[in-house]
Amino acid sequence: MNKLPDFKPVTREELRAIWARYPDPEVRRLTLEIERYKRVMSEVDRLYRVIHQSWRETTGGNLTALHVLQGIMLHERERAEL
């Protein structure tokens, strides 16, 4: 898969403005897809925290895959807040 160029993420305010400005069904479908992605990422982040806490309480230490996932989630959160 080709790497995407760097770009500024779309904010929720910008997404709402695009939705209002462009009634075209394809544009609206794309805005819904972006909003869905943002919600899915929030849920994945929440589930990560639940799994990580459970792992630490039952097993102790860190699970490598969770540590990698945490890094990915942190990067995505930071990007979304730009």
Side-chain angles (χ1 to χ4, degrees), residues 10 19 21 27 51 79:
V10 177
W19 177 272
R21 192 176 318 129
V27 173
I51 293 166
R79 270 193 83 254

Side-chain angles (χ1 to χ4, degrees), residues 6-44:
D6 290 336
F7 62 95
K8 182 181 173 192
V10 177
T11 66
R12 284 207 162 95
E13 292 76 27
E14 290 171 320
L15 206 54
R16 284 187 198 100
I18 291 168
W19 177 272
R21 192 176 318 129
Y22 300 101
D24 180 274
E26 289 183 2
V27 173
R28 290 210 163 163
R29 188 169 144 233
L30 284 170
T31 58
L32 288 172
E33 185 67 28
I34 293 166
E35 177 59 24
R36 180 184 176 281
Y37 161 78
K38 289 177 178 288
R39 291 179 185 194
V40 166
M41 293 302 289
S42 291
E43 180 65 4
V44 168

Side-chain angles (χ1 to χ4, degrees), residues 66-77:
L66 282 179
H67 183 70
V68 171
L69 180 60
Q70 179 186 32
I72 292 168
M73 295 304 301
L74 178 62
H75 176 73
E76 287 303 308
R77 268 196 314 275

